[in-house]
mmCIF file of all heavy atoms in Angstrom:
data_model
loop_
_atom_site.group_PDB
_atom_site.id
_atom_site.type_symbol
_atom_site.label_atom_id
_atom_site.label_comp_id
_atom_site.label_asym_id
_atom_site.label_seq_id
_atom_site.Cartn_x
_atom_site.Cartn_y
_atom_site.Cartn_z
ATOM 1 N N PRO A 1 -14.301 -20.701 -10.105
ATOM 2 C CA PRO A 1 -13.850 -19.361 -9.699
ATOM 3 C C PRO A 1 -14.481 -18.876 -8.401
ATOM 4 O O PRO A 1 -13.826 -18.200 -7.603
ATOM 5 C CB PRO A 1 -14.254 -18.477 -10.884
ATOM 6 C CG PRO A 1 -14.363 -19.410 -12.047
ATOM 7 C CD PRO A 1 -14.847 -20.707 -11.476
ATOM 8 N N ASN A 2 -15.754 -19.210 -8.185
ATOM 9 C CA ASN A 2 -16.413 -18.755 -6.968
ATOM 10 C C ASN A 2 -15.764 -19.342 -5.725
ATOM 11 O O ASN A 2 -15.569 -18.647 -4.717
ATOM 12 C CB ASN A 2 -17.903 -19.125 -7.005
ATOM 13 C CG ASN A 2 -18.665 -18.328 -8.029
ATOM 14 O OD1 ASN A 2 -18.309 -17.191 -8.339
ATOM 15 N ND2 ASN A 2 -19.713 -18.921 -8.578
ATOM 16 N N GLU A 3 -15.421 -20.616 -5.784
ATOM 17 C CA GLU A 3 -14.768 -21.258 -4.648
ATOM 18 C C GLU A 3 -13.360 -20.699 -4.452
ATOM 19 O O GLU A 3 -12.913 -20.502 -3.324
ATOM 20 C CB GLU A 3 -14.718 -22.771 -4.856
ATOM 21 C CG GLU A 3 -14.126 -23.546 -3.683
ATOM 22 C CD GLU A 3 -14.951 -23.422 -2.404
ATOM 23 O OE1 GLU A 3 -16.156 -23.100 -2.487
ATOM 24 O OE2 GLU A 3 -14.378 -23.640 -1.320
ATOM 25 N N MET A 4 -12.653 -20.442 -5.557
ATOM 26 C CA MET A 4 -11.314 -19.848 -5.460
ATOM 27 C C MET A 4 -11.380 -18.503 -4.748
ATOM 28 O O MET A 4 -10.590 -18.223 -3.852
ATOM 29 C CB MET A 4 -10.699 -19.672 -6.851
ATOM 30 C CG MET A 4 -10.289 -20.967 -7.537
ATOM 31 S SD MET A 4 -9.484 -20.661 -9.132
ATOM 32 C CE MET A 4 -7.862 -20.125 -8.595
ATOM 33 N N GLN A 5 -12.341 -17.668 -5.147
ATOM 34 C CA GLN A 5 -12.475 -16.347 -4.529
ATOM 35 C C GLN A 5 -12.856 -16.467 -3.058
ATOM 36 O O GLN A 5 -12.439 -15.644 -2.234
ATOM 37 C CB GLN A 5 -13.508 -15.522 -5.292
ATOM 38 C CG GLN A 5 -13.067 -15.141 -6.694
ATOM 39 C CD GLN A 5 -14.119 -14.353 -7.447
ATOM 40 O OE1 GLN A 5 -14.929 -13.673 -6.841
ATOM 41 N NE2 GLN A 5 -14.110 -14.448 -8.770
ATOM 42 N N HIS A 6 -13.638 -17.487 -2.740
ATOM 43 C CA HIS A 6 -14.029 -17.713 -1.347
ATOM 44 C C HIS A 6 -12.811 -18.072 -0.499
ATOM 45 O O HIS A 6 -12.732 -17.723 0.679
ATOM 46 C CB HIS A 6 -15.071 -18.830 -1.285
ATOM 47 C CG HIS A 6 -15.463 -19.211 0.106
ATOM 48 N ND1 HIS A 6 -16.233 -18.398 0.916
ATOM 49 C CD2 HIS A 6 -15.173 -20.318 0.851
ATOM 50 C CE1 HIS A 6 -16.403 -18.982 2.091
ATOM 51 N NE2 HIS A 6 -15.783 -20.150 2.076
ATOM 52 N N MET A 7 -11.832 -18.769 -1.102
ATOM 53 C CA MET A 7 -10.655 -19.226 -0.370
ATOM 54 C C MET A 7 -9.579 -18.153 -0.253
ATOM 55 O O MET A 7 -8.697 -18.241 0.597
ATOM 56 C CB MET A 7 -10.069 -20.471 -1.039
ATOM 57 C CG MET A 7 -10.996 -21.677 -1.021
ATOM 58 S SD MET A 7 -10.319 -23.082 -1.941
ATOM 59 C CE MET A 7 -8.973 -23.555 -0.852
ATOM 60 N N ILE A 8 -9.642 -17.145 -1.121
ATOM 61 C CA ILE A 8 -8.631 -16.083 -1.121
ATOM 62 C C ILE A 8 -9.190 -14.846 -0.429
ATOM 63 O O ILE A 8 -10.181 -14.271 -0.879
ATOM 64 C CB ILE A 8 -8.188 -15.726 -2.552
ATOM 65 C CG1 ILE A 8 -7.602 -16.945 -3.257
ATOM 66 C CG2 ILE A 8 -7.190 -14.573 -2.532
ATOM 67 C CD1 ILE A 8 -6.349 -17.466 -2.614
ATOM 68 N N SER A 9 -8.548 -14.424 0.643
ATOM 69 C CA SER A 9 -8.963 -13.226 1.363
ATOM 70 C C SER A 9 -7.992 -12.087 1.029
ATOM 71 O O SER A 9 -6.811 -12.143 1.396
ATOM 72 C CB SER A 9 -8.966 -13.492 2.876
ATOM 73 O OG SER A 9 -9.295 -12.312 3.585
ATOM 74 N N ILE A 10 -8.484 -11.087 0.307
ATOM 75 C CA ILE A 10 -7.640 -9.961 -0.101
ATOM 76 C C ILE A 10 -7.814 -8.820 0.888
ATOM 77 O O ILE A 10 -8.930 -8.321 1.069
ATOM 78 C CB ILE A 10 -8.013 -9.488 -1.520
ATOM 79 C CG1 ILE A 10 -7.899 -10.658 -2.507
ATOM 80 C CG2 ILE A 10 -7.123 -8.342 -1.954
ATOM 81 C CD1 ILE A 10 -8.354 -10.308 -3.903
ATOM 82 N N ASN A 11 -6.716 -8.413 1.530
ATOM 83 C CA ASN A 11 -6.841 -7.332 2.508
ATOM 84 C C ASN A 11 -7.078 -5.992 1.797
ATOM 85 O O ASN A 11 -6.796 -5.853 0.601
ATOM 86 C CB ASN A 11 -5.608 -7.287 3.426
ATOM 87 C CG ASN A 11 -4.332 -6.944 2.691
ATOM 88 O OD1 ASN A 11 -4.306 -6.054 1.840
ATOM 89 N ND2 ASN A 11 -3.251 -7.642 3.008
ATOM 90 N N PRO A 12 -7.618 -5.003 2.515
ATOM 91 C CA PRO A 12 -8.016 -3.737 1.868
ATOM 92 C C PRO A 12 -6.871 -3.045 1.130
ATOM 93 O O PRO A 12 -7.089 -2.466 0.066
ATOM 94 C CB PRO A 12 -8.513 -2.888 3.050
ATOM 95 C CG PRO A 12 -8.967 -3.892 4.065
ATOM 96 C CD PRO A 12 -8.014 -5.046 3.936
ATOM 97 N N GLU A 13 -5.669 -3.091 1.686
ATOM 98 C CA GLU A 13 -4.539 -2.420 1.037
ATOM 99 C C GLU A 13 -4.219 -3.067 -0.307
ATOM 100 O O GLU A 13 -3.958 -2.384 -1.299
ATOM 101 C CB GLU A 13 -3.311 -2.471 1.949
ATOM 102 C CG GLU A 13 -2.166 -1.571 1.501
ATOM 103 C CD GLU A 13 -2.532 -0.107 1.519
ATOM 104 O OE1 GLU A 13 -3.351 0.302 2.360
ATOM 105 O OE2 GLU A 13 -1.998 0.643 0.677
ATOM 106 N N THR A 14 -4.247 -4.395 -0.344
ATOM 107 C CA THR A 14 -3.985 -5.107 -1.591
ATOM 108 C C THR A 14 -5.112 -4.906 -2.588
ATOM 109 O O THR A 14 -4.887 -4.793 -3.798
ATOM 110 C CB THR A 14 -3.793 -6.609 -1.318
ATOM 111 O OG1 THR A 14 -2.751 -6.779 -0.359
ATOM 112 C CG2 THR A 14 -3.424 -7.355 -2.587
ATOM 113 N N ARG A 15 -6.336 -4.843 -2.108
ATOM 114 C CA ARG A 15 -7.488 -4.682 -2.996
ATOM 115 C C ARG A 15 -7.405 -3.390 -3.803
ATOM 116 O O ARG A 15 -7.930 -3.308 -4.917
ATOM 117 C CB ARG A 15 -8.788 -4.725 -2.182
ATOM 118 C CG ARG A 15 -10.041 -4.742 -3.029
ATOM 119 C CD ARG A 15 -11.266 -5.084 -2.222
ATOM 120 N NE ARG A 15 -11.277 -6.482 -1.802
ATOM 121 C CZ ARG A 15 -11.621 -7.489 -2.592
ATOM 122 N NH1 ARG A 15 -11.969 -7.254 -3.848
ATOM 123 N NH2 ARG A 15 -11.612 -8.723 -2.145
ATOM 124 N N LYS A 16 -6.694 -2.388 -3.271
ATOM 125 C CA LYS A 16 -6.563 -1.120 -3.988
ATOM 126 C C LYS A 16 -5.908 -1.327 -5.351
ATOM 127 O O LYS A 16 -6.295 -0.701 -6.330
ATOM 128 C CB LYS A 16 -5.744 -0.127 -3.158
ATOM 129 C CG LYS A 16 -6.453 0.385 -1.921
ATOM 130 C CD LYS A 16 -5.545 1.339 -1.152
ATOM 131 C CE LYS A 16 -6.204 1.820 0.127
ATOM 132 N NZ LYS A 16 -5.313 2.726 0.914
ATOM 133 N N TRP A 17 -4.890 -2.195 -5.412
ATOM 134 C CA TRP A 17 -4.267 -2.400 -6.716
ATOM 135 C C TRP A 17 -4.891 -3.540 -7.496
ATOM 136 O O TRP A 17 -4.750 -3.612 -8.715
ATOM 137 C CB TRP A 17 -2.747 -2.545 -6.607
ATOM 138 C CG TRP A 17 -2.183 -3.587 -5.708
ATOM 139 C CD1 TRP A 17 -1.698 -3.408 -4.454
ATOM 140 C CD2 TRP A 17 -2.003 -4.983 -6.001
ATOM 141 N NE1 TRP A 17 -1.241 -4.594 -3.944
ATOM 142 C CE2 TRP A 17 -1.405 -5.579 -4.872
ATOM 143 C CE3 TRP A 17 -2.283 -5.786 -7.104
ATOM 144 C CZ2 TRP A 17 -1.090 -6.938 -4.805
ATOM 145 C CZ3 TRP A 17 -1.975 -7.133 -7.050
ATOM 146 C CH2 TRP A 17 -1.389 -7.692 -5.912
ATOM 147 N N VAL A 18 -5.591 -4.450 -6.825
ATOM 148 C CA VAL A 18 -6.337 -5.463 -7.564
ATOM 149 C C VAL A 18 -7.455 -4.802 -8.371
ATOM 150 O O VAL A 18 -7.724 -5.161 -9.521
ATOM 151 C CB VAL A 18 -6.921 -6.529 -6.606
ATOM 152 C CG1 VAL A 18 -7.858 -7.471 -7.351
ATOM 153 C CG2 VAL A 18 -5.799 -7.330 -5.953
ATOM 154 N N GLU A 19 -8.107 -3.808 -7.768
ATOM 155 C CA GLU A 19 -9.238 -3.138 -8.408
ATOM 156 C C GLU A 19 -8.831 -1.863 -9.148
ATOM 157 O O GLU A 19 -9.684 -1.119 -9.628
ATOM 158 C CB GLU A 19 -10.301 -2.830 -7.353
ATOM 159 C CG GLU A 19 -10.869 -4.089 -6.700
ATOM 160 C CD GLU A 19 -11.910 -3.796 -5.633
ATOM 161 O OE1 GLU A 19 -11.983 -2.621 -5.207
ATOM 162 O OE2 GLU A 19 -12.619 -4.722 -5.228
ATOM 163 N N ARG A 20 -7.543 -1.618 -9.236
ATOM 164 C CA ARG A 20 -7.035 -0.448 -9.944
ATOM 165 C C ARG A 20 -7.362 -0.565 -11.436
ATOM 166 O O ARG A 20 -7.370 -1.656 -11.993
ATOM 167 C CB ARG A 20 -5.522 -0.399 -9.735
ATOM 168 C CG ARG A 20 -4.771 0.721 -10.434
ATOM 169 C CD ARG A 20 -3.288 0.496 -10.171
ATOM 170 N NE ARG A 20 -2.435 1.559 -10.668
ATOM 171 C CZ ARG A 20 -1.944 1.605 -11.904
ATOM 172 N NH1 ARG A 20 -2.258 0.678 -12.786
ATOM 173 N NH2 ARG A 20 -1.128 2.586 -12.257
ATOM 174 N N PRO A 21 -7.641 0.563 -12.123
ATOM 175 C CA PRO A 21 -7.889 0.482 -13.574
ATOM 176 C C PRO A 21 -6.645 -0.014 -14.314
ATOM 177 O O PRO A 21 -5.526 0.112 -13.819
ATOM 178 C CB PRO A 21 -8.237 1.925 -13.956
ATOM 179 C CG PRO A 21 -7.690 2.768 -12.861
ATOM 180 C CD PRO A 21 -7.768 1.942 -11.618
ATOM 181 N N GLU A 22 -6.860 -0.583 -15.468
ATOM 182 C CA GLU A 22 -5.725 -1.128 -16.233
ATOM 183 C C GLU A 22 -4.682 -0.050 -16.518
ATOM 184 O O GLU A 22 -3.487 -0.306 -16.495
ATOM 185 C CB GLU A 22 -6.221 -1.744 -17.532
ATOM 186 C CG GLU A 22 -5.127 -2.436 -18.316
ATOM 187 C CD GLU A 22 -5.660 -3.228 -19.490
ATOM 188 O OE1 GLU A 22 -6.883 -3.153 -19.764
ATOM 189 O OE2 GLU A 22 -4.867 -3.919 -20.145
ATOM 190 N N PHE A 23 -5.154 1.153 -16.788
ATOM 191 C CA PHE A 23 -4.248 2.293 -17.004
ATOM 192 C C PHE A 23 -4.689 3.426 -16.094
ATOM 193 O O PHE A 23 -5.850 3.835 -16.105
ATOM 194 C CB PHE A 23 -4.260 2.730 -18.466
ATOM 195 C CG PHE A 23 -3.698 1.705 -19.404
ATOM 196 C CD1 PHE A 23 -4.529 0.850 -20.096
ATOM 197 C CD2 PHE A 23 -2.327 1.578 -19.566
ATOM 198 C CE1 PHE A 23 -4.018 -0.108 -20.943
ATOM 199 C CE2 PHE A 23 -1.794 0.619 -20.413
ATOM 200 C CZ PHE A 23 -2.646 -0.237 -21.102
ATOM 201 N N ALA A 24 -3.777 3.939 -15.294
ATOM 202 C CA ALA A 24 -4.073 5.019 -14.348
ATOM 203 C C ALA A 24 -3.145 6.197 -14.644
ATOM 204 O O ALA A 24 -2.416 6.226 -15.640
ATOM 205 C CB ALA A 24 -3.899 4.530 -12.912
ATOM 206 N N ASP A 25 -3.160 7.193 -13.737
ATOM 207 C CA ASP A 25 -2.319 8.371 -13.948
ATOM 208 C C ASP A 25 -0.839 8.038 -13.854
ATOM 209 O O ASP A 25 -0.007 8.725 -14.439
ATOM 210 C CB ASP A 25 -2.670 9.447 -12.915
ATOM 211 C CG ASP A 25 -4.067 10.006 -13.117
ATOM 212 O OD1 ASP A 25 -4.561 9.936 -14.261
ATOM 213 O OD2 ASP A 25 -4.665 10.487 -12.151
ATOM 214 N N ARG A 26 -0.530 6.986 -13.106
ATOM 215 C CA ARG A 26 0.877 6.629 -12.914
ATOM 216 C C ARG A 26 1.038 5.116 -12.950
ATOM 217 O O ARG A 26 0.187 4.386 -12.450
ATOM 218 C CB ARG A 26 1.362 7.159 -11.561
ATOM 219 C CG ARG A 26 2.871 7.074 -11.378
ATOM 220 C CD ARG A 26 3.263 7.605 -10.015
ATOM 221 N NE ARG A 26 4.709 7.713 -9.863
ATOM 222 C CZ ARG A 26 5.338 7.909 -8.716
ATOM 223 N NH1 ARG A 26 4.624 8.007 -7.598
ATOM 224 N NH2 ARG A 26 6.643 7.996 -8.657
ATOM 225 N N GLY A 27 2.103 4.655 -13.565
ATOM 226 C CA GLY A 27 2.355 3.220 -13.646
ATOM 227 C C GLY A 27 2.708 2.620 -12.294
ATOM 228 O O GLY A 27 2.921 3.335 -11.308
ATOM 229 N N LEU A 28 2.760 1.298 -12.252
ATOM 230 C CA LEU A 28 3.042 0.594 -11.003
ATOM 231 C C LEU A 28 3.706 -0.740 -11.313
ATOM 232 O O LEU A 28 3.255 -1.474 -12.195
ATOM 233 C CB LEU A 28 1.737 0.349 -10.238
ATOM 234 C CG LEU A 28 1.809 -0.470 -8.941
ATOM 235 C CD1 LEU A 28 2.608 0.282 -7.881
ATOM 236 C CD2 LEU A 28 0.407 -0.781 -8.441
ATOM 237 N N VAL A 29 4.788 -1.042 -10.607
ATOM 238 C CA VAL A 29 5.446 -2.346 -10.713
ATOM 239 C C VAL A 29 5.120 -3.150 -9.463
ATOM 240 O O VAL A 29 5.322 -2.674 -8.343
ATOM 241 C CB VAL A 29 6.976 -2.199 -10.857
ATOM 242 C CG1 VAL A 29 7.644 -3.578 -10.827
ATOM 243 C CG2 VAL A 29 7.329 -1.486 -12.157
ATOM 244 N N ILE A 30 4.574 -4.339 -9.651
ATOM 245 C CA ILE A 30 4.261 -5.232 -8.540
ATOM 246 C C ILE A 30 5.204 -6.424 -8.616
ATOM 247 O O ILE A 30 5.308 -7.076 -9.661
ATOM 248 C CB ILE A 30 2.799 -5.708 -8.606
ATOM 249 C CG1 ILE A 30 1.852 -4.514 -8.565
ATOM 250 C CG2 ILE A 30 2.495 -6.677 -7.466
ATOM 251 C CD1 ILE A 30 0.423 -4.854 -8.843
ATOM 252 N N VAL A 31 5.885 -6.693 -7.523
ATOM 253 C CA VAL A 31 6.850 -7.795 -7.482
ATOM 254 C C VAL A 31 6.320 -8.888 -6.565
ATOM 255 O O VAL A 31 5.955 -8.613 -5.419
ATOM 256 C CB VAL A 31 8.227 -7.298 -6.982
ATOM 257 C CG1 VAL A 31 9.240 -8.436 -7.029
ATOM 258 C CG2 VAL A 31 8.710 -6.147 -7.847
ATOM 259 N N GLY A 32 6.249 -10.098 -7.090
ATOM 260 C CA GLY A 32 5.696 -11.204 -6.320
ATOM 261 C C GLY A 32 6.725 -12.264 -5.976
ATOM 262 O O GLY A 32 7.661 -12.510 -6.737
ATOM 263 N N LEU A 33 6.550 -12.859 -4.805
ATOM 264 C CA LEU A 33 7.368 -14.010 -4.399
ATOM 265 C C LEU A 33 6.604 -15.291 -4.694
ATOM 266 O O LEU A 33 5.408 -15.374 -4.450
ATOM 267 C CB LEU A 33 7.671 -13.948 -2.895
ATOM 268 C CG LEU A 33 8.741 -12.972 -2.447
ATOM 269 C CD1 LEU A 33 8.681 -12.781 -0.939
ATOM 270 C CD2 LEU A 33 10.118 -13.488 -2.840
ATOM 271 N N HIS A 34 7.299 -16.283 -5.211
ATOM 272 C CA HIS A 34 6.666 -17.572 -5.484
ATOM 273 C C HIS A 34 6.603 -18.384 -4.193
ATOM 274 O O HIS A 34 7.213 -19.443 -4.050
ATOM 275 C CB HIS A 34 7.436 -18.330 -6.563
ATOM 276 C CG HIS A 34 7.279 -17.733 -7.914
ATOM 277 N ND1 HIS A 34 8.025 -16.662 -8.330
ATOM 278 C CD2 HIS A 34 6.442 -18.041 -8.938
ATOM 279 C CE1 HIS A 34 7.670 -16.345 -9.565
ATOM 280 N NE2 HIS A 34 6.717 -17.161 -9.955
ATOM 281 N N LEU A 35 5.858 -17.856 -3.234
ATOM 282 C CA LEU A 35 5.660 -18.546 -1.968
ATOM 283 C C LEU A 35 4.272 -19.155 -1.946
ATOM 284 O O LEU A 35 3.320 -18.565 -2.461
ATOM 285 C CB LEU A 35 5.816 -17.572 -0.788
ATOM 286 C CG LEU A 35 7.215 -17.006 -0.569
ATOM 287 C CD1 LEU A 35 7.182 -15.961 0.528
ATOM 288 C CD2 LEU A 35 8.187 -18.112 -0.196
ATOM 289 N N SER A 36 4.147 -20.332 -1.352
ATOM 290 C CA SER A 36 2.870 -21.033 -1.262
ATOM 291 C C SER A 36 2.262 -21.140 -2.656
ATOM 292 O O SER A 36 2.959 -21.436 -3.622
ATOM 293 C CB SER A 36 1.943 -20.329 -0.272
ATOM 294 O OG SER A 36 0.819 -21.142 0.001
ATOM 295 N N ASN A 37 0.963 -20.884 -2.790
ATOM 296 C CA ASN A 37 0.276 -21.159 -4.051
ATOM 297 C C ASN A 37 0.176 -19.897 -4.898
ATOM 298 O O ASN A 37 -0.907 -19.327 -5.087
ATOM 299 C CB ASN A 37 -1.107 -21.753 -3.774
ATOM 300 C CG ASN A 37 -1.526 -22.725 -4.851
ATOM 301 O OD1 ASN A 37 -1.069 -22.635 -5.968
ATOM 302 N ND2 ASN A 37 -2.387 -23.656 -4.499
ATOM 303 N N PHE A 38 1.290 -19.473 -5.447
ATOM 304 C CA PHE A 38 1.392 -18.232 -6.208
ATOM 305 C C PHE A 38 0.388 -18.217 -7.364
ATOM 306 O O PHE A 38 -0.343 -17.244 -7.565
ATOM 307 C CB PHE A 38 2.819 -18.081 -6.737
ATOM 308 C CG PHE A 38 3.063 -16.843 -7.553
ATOM 309 C CD1 PHE A 38 3.426 -15.653 -6.945
ATOM 310 C CD2 PHE A 38 2.938 -16.863 -8.931
ATOM 311 C CE1 PHE A 38 3.656 -14.509 -7.693
ATOM 312 C CE2 PHE A 38 3.161 -15.723 -9.690
ATOM 313 C CZ PHE A 38 3.517 -14.548 -9.077
ATOM 314 N N ASP A 39 0.323 -19.304 -8.145
ATOM 315 C CA ASP A 39 -0.551 -19.333 -9.312
ATOM 316 C C ASP A 39 -2.022 -19.354 -8.915
ATOM 317 O O ASP A 39 -2.866 -18.805 -9.625
ATOM 318 C CB ASP A 39 -0.216 -20.532 -10.202
ATOM 319 C CG ASP A 39 0.409 -20.094 -11.519
ATOM 320 O OD1 ASP A 39 1.619 -19.874 -11.539
ATOM 321 O OD2 ASP A 39 -0.333 -19.936 -12.498
ATOM 322 N N PHE A 40 -2.332 -19.978 -7.803
ATOM 323 C CA PHE A 40 -3.716 -20.014 -7.320
ATOM 324 C C PHE A 40 -4.212 -18.596 -7.050
ATOM 325 O O PHE A 40 -5.311 -18.210 -7.462
ATOM 326 C CB PHE A 40 -3.783 -20.861 -6.047
ATOM 327 C CG PHE A 40 -5.169 -21.143 -5.552
ATOM 328 C CD1 PHE A 40 -5.849 -22.283 -5.955
ATOM 329 C CD2 PHE A 40 -5.802 -20.289 -4.673
ATOM 330 C CE1 PHE A 40 -7.132 -22.557 -5.503
ATOM 331 C CE2 PHE A 40 -7.075 -20.552 -4.207
ATOM 332 C CZ PHE A 40 -7.746 -21.697 -4.628
ATOM 333 N N VAL A 41 -3.386 -17.817 -6.360
ATOM 334 C CA VAL A 41 -3.752 -16.429 -6.044
ATOM 335 C C VAL A 41 -3.822 -15.599 -7.319
ATOM 336 O O VAL A 41 -4.751 -14.797 -7.510
ATOM 337 C CB VAL A 41 -2.742 -15.821 -5.046
ATOM 338 C CG1 VAL A 41 -3.046 -14.345 -4.812
ATOM 339 C CG2 VAL A 41 -2.764 -16.589 -3.734
ATOM 340 N N LEU A 42 -2.845 -15.775 -8.216
ATOM 341 C CA LEU A 42 -2.818 -15.011 -9.462
ATOM 342 C C LEU A 42 -4.056 -15.299 -10.307
ATOM 343 O O LEU A 42 -4.659 -14.379 -10.875
ATOM 344 C CB LEU A 42 -1.549 -15.344 -10.245
ATOM 345 C CG LEU A 42 -1.297 -14.547 -11.523
ATOM 346 C CD1 LEU A 42 -1.245 -13.055 -11.229
ATOM 347 C CD2 LEU A 42 -0.007 -15.006 -12.184
ATOM 348 N N GLN A 43 -4.440 -16.582 -10.399
ATOM 349 C CA GLN A 43 -5.656 -16.937 -11.142
ATOM 350 C C GLN A 43 -6.884 -16.281 -10.509
ATOM 351 O O GLN A 43 -7.751 -15.742 -11.209
ATOM 352 C CB GLN A 43 -5.833 -18.460 -11.132
ATOM 353 C CG GLN A 43 -4.788 -19.227 -11.900
ATOM 354 C CD GLN A 43 -5.129 -19.381 -13.373
ATOM 355 O OE1 GLN A 43 -6.257 -19.137 -13.777
ATOM 356 N NE2 GLN A 43 -4.161 -19.776 -14.169
ATOM 357 N N SER A 44 -6.957 -16.322 -9.185
ATOM 358 C CA SER A 44 -8.120 -15.795 -8.484
ATOM 359 C C SER A 44 -8.272 -14.289 -8.679
ATOM 360 O O SER A 44 -9.351 -13.801 -9.034
ATOM 361 C CB SER A 44 -8.032 -16.111 -6.992
ATOM 362 O OG SER A 44 -9.123 -15.560 -6.281
#
């Protein structure tokens, strides 16, 4: 996992929803494209 995180650079805008609480004041739908290594990023 440490190496995976080292290889994945999350920009500040994306980090807002990565670090979002599981339940917040309002729901959110995130839509992903299966481009490049989709599962690698999802695992990380």
Side-chain angles (χ1 to χ4, degrees):
N2 291 331
E3 183 64 22
M4 289 183 76
Q5 292 179 27
H6 176 71
M7 296 175 70
I8 301 296
S9 177
I10 303 175
N11 65 43
E13 192 63 31
T14 304
R15 187 168 289 281
K16 290 179 183 178
W17 55 260
V18 172
E19 298 179 345
R20 178 184 186 272
E22 185 171 6
F23 294 97
D25 293 335
R26 191 180 188 193
L28 176 66
V29 174
I30 301 171
V31 184
L33 283 166
H34 289 82
L35 293 174
S36 191
N37 212 335
F38 180 87
D39 249 84
F40 188 91
V41 175
L42 185 58
Q43 293 273 346
S44 178

